[in-house]
Amino acid sequence: MVSAEEKELLAERFVTGNLYKLKHLTAMVQPEELAELINESPHIDVIKVFQVLDAEKAVKTFEHLDFERQEALLLSFSVDQLSSTLNALSPDDRTALFEKLPTETLRKYLSLLTAEERKTANQLLQYPEDSIGRLMTPDFISVKEHWTVQQALDYIRKYGKDSETLNIIYVTDEKGFLQDDIKVRDFLLAPLDQPISGLMDRTFVSLDARDDQEVAIEAFKQTDRVALPVTDFNGLLLGIVTVDDMVDVIEEEDTEDIQKFGGTEALEEPYLKVSLREMIGKRAGWLIILFLGEMLTASAMGYFEDELSKAVVLALFIPLIISSGGNSGSQAATLIIRAMALGEVTIETWWQVLRREFLSGLALGGILGVIGFLRIATWSLFTDIYGPHWVMLGLVVGFTLVGVVLWGTITGSMFPILLKRIGVDPAVSSAPFIATLVDVTGLVIYFGFAYLLLKGSML
């Protein structure tokens, strides 16, 4: 692996080097590292770099480039180079490229594929966007259960070079239906004359090509495999999905969830490549919704105008109250959304979550309530800003903090589960949204306690 310092030095040399130096530099790094270097260094002339790469390394590097770099390269290629590159790409990486292209460009590129590759490309593109079928590759090795281990090894040697991975060998019947998957290690350790059926336990995990990619993420987490088979709904083996493809999907899913949780729509492109107009459009909707929600806070304060006019000191603690409720709600929502993403919390376990968060909210609210009361008590030793009824005021603030934090915690934990139950992405229960939701109720709780405890004294 290239260190950060070496990478920075390499990037500088790639920018300033001639073709001879570039050829020497590209020989020093693996295709994945070279692609990462190009992606992170906008001043590197990617077209110039590809002039010195051999065909195999060029294709492997191309597969790991950002779409914008890939697009620039394809536009610079001659028709022969373009055809050669597109046909050499692995089917899953080619599909990832094709699904981002405009329709006219896609048609042009499809026409440059061989008949076999065009058929494969069209088959993969017919699957729904974000489905497992878009990720799979048809390049895999399958054997028959009546073969011997020797026959299987001979077959692997002959055709294995075209497979995406050789860690797992799939067993199919005469019609191509999946029967089992066997680790290559088991073949290597078994007697050569043993039938493959003797290695089978017929317990395997497969993915449906039309399922969402999130299903594949969970399957990989549970099985700890480098590849999983993909079938149609009848069990016909169509292809495989490898773990390197899933790493990219996990990164995209996590990025989308984080952006949604921050109170914005998910960005389709990297931050610096999104147009200003699109950036504003992605953020304006949520800001308007949150603004309208906060208007309810102003309405609530207007409703309690009489109380505020009689005891102006109550206004001093409003920011403290609503921020504590919003913070506790955001904390709970963050924990639950992440736990749901990891499979630790499900819709069925909502009662356990509610019970835990109720106790947590009560304890956390109690801690903040005591601190709030002590703060008022301490200030009252040196000033009369809170007047002669500071004890009751301290109790109002203390009890309110318990109520607001408890309510914020319950809301923050239950709202994502509710959204999941109705089929909405829990990540949209963003931290700003939870905070806004708790603000209004926090004021009601605050002035409710104030009315009960201060009536006849300050009110």
Side-chain angles (χ1 to χ4, degrees):
M1 290 292 293
V2 180
S3 67
E5 293 77 10
E6 291 173 329
K7 187 184 293 185
E8 186 176 343
L9 182 59
L10 271 174
E12 184 179 339
R13 290 178 176 177
F14 269 107
V15 173
T16 59
N18 55 33
L19 291 179
Y20 175 79
K21 288 183 179 179
L22 287 177
K23 189 172 182 64
H24 174 70
L25 290 170
T26 56
M28 298 170 57
V29 293
Q30 296 299 313
E32 297 82 3
E33 294 172 329
L34 178 57
E36 183 181 1
L37 195 66
I38 294 172
N39 290 333
E40 295 178 355
S41 307
H43 300 297
I44 293 179
D45 188 341
V46 63
I47 297 174
K48 191 175 178 182
V49 171
F50 267 70
Q51 291 177 7
V52 301
L53 294 177
D54 61 73
E56 183 179 356
K57 192 166 189 176
V59 170
K60 289 182 178 179
T61 303
F62 182 91
E63 290 178 342
H64 291 86
L65 291 177
D66 291 339
F67 172 70
E68 290 75 15
R69 296 284 192 164
Q70 291 179 333
E71 194 174 30
L73 272 172
L74 293 177
L75 291 173
S76 72
F77 286 167
S78 66
V79 174
D80 288 341
Q81 286 177 305
L82 188 57
S83 176
S84 175
T85 301
L86 293 175
N87 280 287
L89 291 175
S90 59
D92 52 338
D93 289 316
R94 187 172 57 211
T95 303
L97 168 66
F98 280 1
E99 65 184 5
K100 298 175 183 176
L101 295 173
T103 303
E104 288 302 317
T105 306
L106 175 59
R107 288 174 182 168
K108 173 187 174 183
Y109 288 176
L110 284 172
S111 68
L112 296 174
L113 299 177
T114 64
E116 183 179 353
E117 294 294 340
R118 189 183 309 118
K119 179 181 177 182
T120 298
N122 283 321
Q123 287 175 339
L124 297 181
L125 287 170
Q126 75 179 352
Y127 291 105
E129 188 176 355
D130 295 328
S131 68
I132 293 172
R134 288 286 184 100
L135 294 175
M136 73 177 181
T137 174
D139 297 335
F140 60 90
I141 291 290
S142 65
V143 297
K144 310 303 178 187
E145 63 180 286
H146 61 268
W147 291 4
T148 64
V149 170
Q150 180 67 66
Q151 288 176 302
L153 290 174
D154 291 341
Y155 184 82
I156 293 170
R157 290 190 188 96
K158 185 175 182 179
Y159 298 103
K161 66 180 183 298
D162 297 324
S163 177
E164 181 83 2
T165 177
L166 289 176
N167 298 73
I168 304 293
I169 306 299
Y170 302 94
V171 183
T172 58
D173 63 15
E174 299 302 325
K175 294 182 178 180
F177 289 91
L178 182 63
Q179 303 298 306
D180 206 352
D181 57 358
I182 302 174
K183 296 179 181 178
V184 169
R185 178 177 182 274
D186 295 335
F187 283 97
L188 297 176
L189 297 177
L192 295 178
D193 59 350
Q194 180 177 352
I196 291 176
S197 57
L199 302 177
M200 297 170 60
D201 58 13
R202 300 185 187 277
T203 58
F204 58 89
V205 175
S206 63
L207 304 169
D208 190 305
R210 293 191 175 274
D211 279 344
D212 191 271
Q213 293 174 2
E214 289 188 2
V215 175
I217 294 174
E218 292 304 316
F220 271 95
K221 289 178 182 177
Q222 294 170 10
T223 59
D224 196 28
R225 289 290 185 94
V226 297
L228 285 174
V230 182
T231 66
D232 66 7
F233 62 92
N234 287 320
L236 182 68
L237 183 58
L238 302 174
I240 63 172
V241 171
T242 54
V243 71
D244 61 311
D245 295 315
M246 297 316 303
V247 170
D248 296 333
V249 174
I250 291 171
E251 182 180 358
E252 290 176 7
E253 292 289 339
D254 286 349
T255 301
E256 181 178 323
D257 287 346
I258 290 170
Q259 290 171 346
K260 286 181 178 178
F261 192 69
T264 180
E265 294 181 45
L267 302 179
E268 304 297 333
E269 299 177 43
Y271 175 82
L272 292 177
K273 295 177 182 177
V274 175
S275 67
L276 183 60
R277 180 178 180 180
E278 184 180 354
M279 178 72 74
I280 294 171
K282 293 286 187 181
R283 297 163 68 173
W286 267 112
L287 281 178
I288 292 171
I289 292 172
L290 295 173
F291 177 75
L292 294 175
E294 289 293 353
M295 289 176 65
L296 296 175
T297 304
S299 300
M301 290 185 65
Y303 183 78
F304 295 108
E305 184 178 357
D306 288 342
E307 285 77 4
L308 281 171
S309 63
K310 294 176 183 177
V312 179
V313 70
L314 290 174
L316 298 176
F317 297 97
I318 289 177
L320 173 73
I321 299 299
I322 62 177
S323 64
S324 297
N327 291 340
S328 64
S330 299
Q331 274 188 344
T334 301
L335 291 173
I336 297 305
I337 289 173
R338 188 55 184 164
M340 292 175 72
L342 296 174
E344 299 169 353
V345 169
T346 63
I347 298 174
E348 289 72 24
T349 59
W350 71 270
W351 174 248
Q352 292 174 261
V353 174
L354 178 60
R355 184 173 57 190
R356 288 174 62 88
E357 290 302 317
F358 178 84
L359 295 175
S360 297
L362 206 58
L364 294 168
I367 293 170
L368 295 186
V370 170
I371 294 173
F373 180 86
L374 291 176
R375 191 265 194 197
I376 293 176
T378 303
W379 256 247
S380 297
L381 294 175
F382 305 101
T383 177
D384 60 353
I385 186 175
Y386 301 128
H389 304 290
W390 65 265
V391 174
M392 298 306 295
L393 178 63
L395 289 176
V396 169
V397 172
F399 286 136
T400 299
L401 285 169
V402 174
V404 166
V405 171
L406 177 60
W407 172 244
T409 301
I410 292 174
T411 303
S413 60
M414 290 293 102
F415 198 62
I417 295 177
L418 175 63
L419 290 178
K420 183 73 172 179
R421 179 66 181 85
I422 62 177
V424 178
D425 187 353
V428 302
S429 57
S430 63
F433 184 79
I434 294 292
T436 302
L437 190 65
V438 174
D439 282 355
V440 180
T441 51
L443 286 174
V444 174
I445 293 172
Y446 181 36
F447 285 105
F449 276 116
Y451 182 80
L452 289 174
L453 298 179
L454 300 178
K455 186 178 181 182
S457 55
M458 296 179 69
L459 298 180

